[in-house]
Amino acid sequence: MNNNQLSASAQQSLSRTMPVGSREFKVASRPVVSYSNAQQNELLAALPRAVLESLFEHLELVALPFGKELFEHGGKLDNVYFPTTAIVSLLYVMEDGATTEIAVVGHEGVVGVSLFAGERAMCSAVVQADGYGYRLKAQHLRDAFNQGGALPQLLMRYNTALFAQMAQNAVGGRHSSIEQKLCRWLLDRLDRSPSNELKVTQEMISIMLGVRRESITAAAGKLQDDGLITYRRGNITVLDRAGLERYAGECYKVAKNEYDRLLVDVARC
């Protein structure tokens, strides 16, 4: 079996590590949407209040359990997701099952935007850290987009930042060391997590990065020896964020700077 392929044992491991009560895709009872709660997603928070409130009747707060596939490559994009506390991986899956992460989305972004009816997904989206988010029918987003104003400007700016992340992932995949890739991967999650602790296995990291597990073990050991992280089975604690950023190098900084620029731009929408 390909080392980057998700094995049956890995799938079982994912299932075992799901938080209790999150194995099913649960929808919260209405009313669930308020101005302050919706602002937990930074894209929604950046919208003018009147625009955000116009979406309230269509937004649903949903639980996003670990391992949930929101859509698959080639599938219909019926829903859009604005994560609040969940983290979603965008994955490219080869015919043989080999998987590589091309981007990650958390409270700063949106997943599954489809501006044309019948559009198909160019990748898969899988919840990597369980939490919550707002779900919106794709058609409702298209209707709001076609009205013009702040929403289309915001989505186009976010797509630019997401493209920058994908581009830097491609560059880093070719020119970065395993340690740099791991630092970048950890920082991407840290930016979207409420603490400096990340619950993740080395096998999962190896799948996401498309490298052998032994390489991740060696890289994590080096980062631990350098005092940047501590690693215990299924749990990584970041001790020195600044050190990780220095180690990650240019690829992380370029994508981060692009998103920081986005935040300044959306304030002008």
Side-chain angles (χ1 to χ4, degrees), residues 25 28 40 42 46 89 100 114 142 169 203 207 237 255-256:
F25 191 68
Q40 292 180 51
E42 293 177 20
S89 288
T100 300
S114 169
R142 285 193 287 268
N169 279 340
E203 181 175 10
I207 293 169
T237 301
K256 184 67 164 58

mmCIF file of all heavy atoms in Angstrom, residues 25 28 40 42 46 89 100 114 142 169 203 207 237 255-256:
data_model
loop_
_atom_site.group_PDB
_atom_site.id
_atom_site.type_symbol
_atom_site.label_atom_id
_atom_site.label_comp_id
_atom_site.label_asym_id
_atom_site.label_seq_id
_atom_site.Cartn_x
_atom_site.Cartn_y
_atom_site.Cartn_z
ATOM 1 N N PHE A 25 -23.427 13.873 12.068
ATOM 2 C CA PHE A 25 -23.428 15.271 11.638
ATOM 3 C C PHE A 25 -24.673 15.929 12.215
ATOM 4 O O PHE A 25 -25.775 15.748 11.724
ATOM 5 C CB PHE A 25 -23.433 15.311 10.113
ATOM 6 C CG PHE A 25 -23.184 16.653 9.534
ATOM 7 C CD1 PHE A 25 -21.944 17.249 9.659
ATOM 8 C CD2 PHE A 25 -24.171 17.320 8.838
ATOM 9 C CE1 PHE A 25 -21.687 18.480 9.105
ATOM 10 C CE2 PHE A 25 -23.932 18.560 8.286
ATOM 11 C CZ PHE A 25 -22.687 19.130 8.412
ATOM 12 N N ALA A 28 -27.811 22.021 14.929
ATOM 13 C CA ALA A 28 -28.346 22.627 16.146
ATOM 14 C C ALA A 28 -29.778 23.085 15.907
ATOM 15 O O ALA A 28 -30.177 23.409 14.794
ATOM 16 C CB ALA A 28 -27.474 23.814 16.557
ATOM 17 N N GLN A 40 -17.929 34.771 14.836
ATOM 18 C CA GLN A 40 -16.832 33.866 15.169
ATOM 19 C C GLN A 40 -16.096 33.420 13.908
ATOM 20 O O GLN A 40 -14.962 32.965 13.975
ATOM 21 C CB GLN A 40 -17.356 32.644 15.922
ATOM 22 C CG GLN A 40 -17.883 32.963 17.304
ATOM 23 C CD GLN A 40 -18.383 31.728 18.019
ATOM 24 O OE1 GLN A 40 -17.687 30.717 18.108
ATOM 25 N NE2 GLN A 40 -19.599 31.781 18.512
ATOM 26 N N GLU A 42 -14.398 34.857 10.634
ATOM 27 C CA GLU A 42 -13.870 36.176 10.308
ATOM 28 C C GLU A 42 -14.409 36.735 8.997
ATOM 29 O O GLU A 42 -14.499 37.958 8.833
ATOM 30 C CB GLU A 42 -12.345 36.131 10.294
ATOM 31 C CG GLU A 42 -11.756 35.883 11.681
ATOM 32 C CD GLU A 42 -10.242 35.763 11.678
ATOM 33 O OE1 GLU A 42 -9.610 36.242 10.707
ATOM 34 O OE2 GLU A 42 -9.699 35.180 12.631
ATOM 35 N N ALA A 46 -16.576 40.200 8.816
ATOM 36 C CA ALA A 46 -16.129 41.326 7.999
ATOM 37 C C ALA A 46 -17.256 41.936 7.170
ATOM 38 O O ALA A 46 -17.101 43.026 6.618
ATOM 39 C CB ALA A 46 -14.999 40.880 7.077
ATOM 40 N N SER A 89 -9.514 20.385 6.096
ATOM 41 C CA SER A 89 -8.437 20.178 5.141
ATOM 42 C C SER A 89 -9.000 20.025 3.740
ATOM 43 O O SER A 89 -9.984 19.307 3.539
ATOM 44 C CB SER A 89 -7.640 18.911 5.480
ATOM 45 O OG SER A 89 -6.848 19.097 6.618
ATOM 46 N N THR A 100 -2.883 14.110 -0.549
ATOM 47 C CA THR A 100 -2.020 15.240 -0.208
ATOM 48 C C THR A 100 -2.885 16.447 0.116
ATOM 49 O O THR A 100 -3.839 16.751 -0.612
ATOM 50 C CB THR A 100 -1.065 15.590 -1.362
ATOM 51 O OG1 THR A 100 -0.237 14.466 -1.653
ATOM 52 C CG2 THR A 100 -0.174 16.770 -0.976
ATOM 53 N N SER A 114 -19.334 27.874 -4.572
ATOM 54 C CA SER A 114 -19.705 27.500 -5.937
ATOM 55 C C SER A 114 -20.542 28.623 -6.515
ATOM 56 O O SER A 114 -21.691 28.823 -6.112
ATOM 57 C CB SER A 114 -20.508 26.186 -5.929
ATOM 58 O OG SER A 114 -21.082 25.944 -7.189
ATOM 59 N N ARG A 142 -25.014 32.165 -3.923
ATOM 60 C CA ARG A 142 -24.998 32.707 -5.285
ATOM 61 C C ARG A 142 -25.963 33.882 -5.410
ATOM 62 O O ARG A 142 -25.650 34.895 -6.039
ATOM 63 C CB ARG A 142 -25.340 31.603 -6.295
ATOM 64 C CG ARG A 142 -24.214 30.613 -6.530
ATOM 65 C CD ARG A 142 -24.476 29.754 -7.740
ATOM 66 N NE ARG A 142 -25.526 28.768 -7.507
ATOM 67 C CZ ARG A 142 -25.307 27.531 -7.070
ATOM 68 N NH1 ARG A 142 -24.072 27.134 -6.820
ATOM 69 N NH2 ARG A 142 -26.311 26.690 -6.904
ATOM 70 N N ASN A 169 2.213 26.163 -0.700
ATOM 71 C CA ASN A 169 2.286 24.731 -0.415
ATOM 72 C C ASN A 169 2.985 23.994 -1.542
ATOM 73 O O ASN A 169 3.778 23.058 -1.321
ATOM 74 C CB ASN A 169 0.883 24.150 -0.207
ATOM 75 C CG ASN A 169 0.356 24.394 1.188
ATOM 76 O OD1 ASN A 169 1.104 24.654 2.121
ATOM 77 N ND2 ASN A 169 -0.961 24.326 1.340
ATOM 78 N N GLU A 203 0.949 9.620 11.993
ATOM 79 C CA GLU A 203 0.433 8.990 10.780
ATOM 80 C C GLU A 203 -0.431 9.958 9.992
ATOM 81 O O GLU A 203 -0.340 10.035 8.763
ATOM 82 C CB GLU A 203 -0.369 7.735 11.135
ATOM 83 C CG GLU A 203 -0.909 7.007 9.899
ATOM 84 C CD GLU A 203 -1.596 5.699 10.230
ATOM 85 O OE1 GLU A 203 -1.837 5.420 11.422
ATOM 86 O OE2 GLU A 203 -1.893 4.952 9.281
ATOM 87 N N ILE A 207 0.206 11.509 6.155
ATOM 88 C CA ILE A 207 -0.790 11.432 5.086
ATOM 89 C C ILE A 207 -1.034 12.810 4.487
ATOM 90 O O ILE A 207 -1.075 12.993 3.269
ATOM 91 C CB ILE A 207 -2.102 10.826 5.608
ATOM 92 C CG1 ILE A 207 -1.902 9.359 5.977
ATOM 93 C CG2 ILE A 207 -3.219 10.955 4.584
ATOM 94 C CD1 ILE A 207 -3.045 8.748 6.747
ATOM 95 N N THR A 237 2.450 19.859 21.559
ATOM 96 C CA THR A 237 2.365 21.166 22.207
ATOM 97 C C THR A 237 3.479 22.048 21.665
ATOM 98 O O THR A 237 4.652 21.662 21.688
ATOM 99 C CB THR A 237 2.503 21.040 23.737
ATOM 100 O OG1 THR A 237 1.468 20.192 24.240
ATOM 101 C CG2 THR A 237 2.404 22.409 24.397
ATOM 102 N N ALA A 255 2.338 33.300 2.704
ATOM 103 C CA ALA A 255 0.904 33.017 2.800
ATOM 104 C C ALA A 255 0.265 33.788 3.957
ATOM 105 O O ALA A 255 -0.849 34.308 3.837
ATOM 106 C CB ALA A 255 0.681 31.519 2.965
ATOM 107 N N LYS A 256 0.968 33.875 5.094
ATOM 108 C CA LYS A 256 0.445 34.597 6.254
ATOM 109 C C LYS A 256 0.327 36.087 5.947
ATOM 110 O O LYS A 256 -0.674 36.732 6.295
ATOM 111 C CB LYS A 256 1.378 34.381 7.448
ATOM 112 C CG LYS A 256 0.895 35.016 8.759
ATOM 113 C CD LYS A 256 -0.352 34.343 9.271
ATOM 114 C CE LYS A 256 -0.641 34.678 10.731
ATOM 115 N NZ LYS A 256 -0.794 36.121 10.985
#
